[in-house]
Amino acid sequence: MSMTTSKAEGLRIELSFQGESQRFEFEGKEVVIGRPNPYLPPTLDLSEDILVSRTHARIWMNVSGYWIEDLVSKHGTFVNGERVGLRKLLNPGDVVQVGNTKLKILCQTPTKQVEPVKVTEEEEISVDSALAVEETVLGKVAADARTDTDAQLELLLELPLKLASQPTIASLSKYVVELLPKLIPGTERAAMLLISSDTAELTVAASLPVDDPPVSRNLALRAVKEGRALIWRKAMDGAEMRVGMYAPLVWGERTLGVLCVDNPKRDRRFTEKELRLLMTVAAYTAMATAFNRLHKAL
């Protein structure tokens, strides 16, 4: 298990695993808990605990206190025996459990009362499930993204050739965002974002509609950083929800961008089957984007 130390104020955590206890002090105000992975390397490496996901949970502190967020781990994150939903404010003495590992935040008693941080609209979005990019293998498209109709299957089978025939990144991006509503039922809006080679920033390459990209910067960055596709939802007035999905564009060991789709008014969330379909499109799109850029460079 790894540890970093710092003279500056940071997070201090007491860890208990298999009867042994350790104390860690970390730089900064955020700790990512998990196992080694190429997308979001853990600050606290719990490789010895086989029930811990690669990106399992995140603990951070701000002016309102110490918070924990489950990163859609396989076996969940628990505080005092209760499973954490989206995020939870920790109190002194709370016991956090990830896998078979128990954690306690060694926090200082606040010297003054502080106002809670206002939760923004984006922070109210709930991530329902996530799938690692490695779960989509181009050679197993039929197994990863079973389709319900012949029309869907035809669109999927012709996708590699259609993408390869696009002369520019602009035309490729436009083709993909116009395809997604036809391929994934319930999709009303779509966007493709690419990481700029100059600034490393995510920029919109194409969107449908053109003037209203369905993009949450936080969710897009999360998909890119974690190397996972996400299904999210946000409750609206009445029984309506705003729902959507994000899938990173990964080719080789490089993340090139992200695809996102949403529906501002829908009575059910997207399913993992639909997420796998988006992941398949993202995999083919990443490959075509990488080859298009290589051809342009030559």
Side-chain angles (χ1 to χ4, degrees), residues 57 72 216 267 296:
V72 200
S216 158
D267 60 358
K296 183 178 180 181

Side-chain angles (χ1 to χ4, degrees), residues 8-286:
E9 181 183 356
L11 277 166
R12 292 183 296 134
I13 296 176
E14 183 178 82
L15 178 153
S16 298
F17 178 68
Q18 295 184 342
E20 296 185 3
S21 296
Q22 295 175 278
R23 289 191 175 189
F24 298 88
E25 184 173 345
F26 299 89
E27 292 183 357
K29 298 182 179 182
E30 177 181 280
V31 169
V32 175
I33 302 166
R35 294 185 287 119
N37 66 85
Y39 302 104
L40 187 63
T43 320
L44 180 57
D45 181 356
L46 300 183
S47 295
E48 297 173 23
D49 190 337
I50 61 174
L51 296 183
V52 172
S53 299
R54 296 189 314 161
T55 50
H56 196 109
R58 179 172 71 101
I59 295 174
W60 74 99
M61 59 181 178
N62 58 26
V63 295
S64 63
Y66 296 80
W67 293 80
I68 187 163
E69 174 187 28
D70 182 75
L71 298 177
V72 200
S73 61
K74 183 176 182 180
H75 297 289
T77 300
F78 298 82
V79 175
N80 301 330
E82 182 179 344
R83 189 160 187 160
V84 174
L86 180 58
R87 61 191 65 203
K88 181 177 177 62
L89 180 64
L90 295 172
N91 297 308
D94 281 349
V95 177
V96 175
Q97 182 157 351
V98 293
N100 289 318
T101 303
K102 292 184 177 180
L103 308 169
K104 283 186 179 180
I105 310 301
L106 304 177
C107 53
Q108 298 177 350
T109 302
T111 57
K112 62 179 181 179
Q113 191 71 23
V114 294
E115 291 294 324
V117 173
K118 184 179 180 181
V119 178
T120 66
E121 182 176 320
E122 282 203 345
E123 288 176 330
E124 293 175 353
I125 293 174
S126 173
V127 174
D128 284 347
S129 59
L131 294 172
V133 172
E134 288 87 345
E135 296 193 32
T136 299
V137 180
L138 290 181
K140 299 179 180 179
V141 171
D144 281 347
R146 293 179 293 275
T147 57
D148 293 325
T149 68
D150 290 340
Q152 280 181 291
L153 182 59
E154 184 178 350
L155 287 171
L156 194 60
L157 291 176
E158 69 179 10
L159 179 60
L161 288 177
K162 289 287 187 180
L163 292 177
S165 68
Q166 301 303 318
T168 65
I169 295 294
S171 62
L172 186 154
S173 304
K174 184 175 183 292
Y175 175 80
V176 171
V177 298
E178 291 178 351
L179 169 73
L180 289 171
K182 303 173 186 176
L183 187 61
I184 303 175
T187 294
E188 285 198 0
R189 306 189 302 171
M192 176 172 165
L193 289 76
L194 292 175
I195 298 175
S196 169
S197 56
D198 297 326
T199 65
E201 292 289 324
L202 274 170
T203 58
V204 177
S207 69
L208 185 70
V210 176
D211 58 349
D212 188 20
V215 178
S216 158
R217 179 174 175 79
N218 287 348
L219 289 174
L221 288 175
R222 179 167 175 173
V224 168
K225 286 169 61 179
E226 296 178 16
R228 300 194 297 175
L230 311 170
I231 299 173
W232 62 269
R233 61 185 168 88
K234 181 183 184 299
M236 308 293 281
D237 294 334
E240 292 180 344
M241 292 188 294
R242 182 183 174 196
V243 296
M245 301 186 290
Y246 282 74
L249 304 173
V250 179
W251 181 247
E253 295 184 355
R254 292 188 60 195
T255 302
L256 306 178
V258 63
L259 291 183
C260 49
V261 300
D262 83 348
N263 188 325
K265 294 181 180 180
R266 189 176 182 179
D267 60 358
R268 68 173 181 87
R269 73 181 184 91
F270 284 102
T271 66
E272 284 198 1
K273 178 180 177 181
E274 290 166 331
L275 184 62
R276 290 184 183 277
L277 195 54
L278 181 64
M279 292 170 72
T280 301
V281 176
Y284 278 126
T285 302

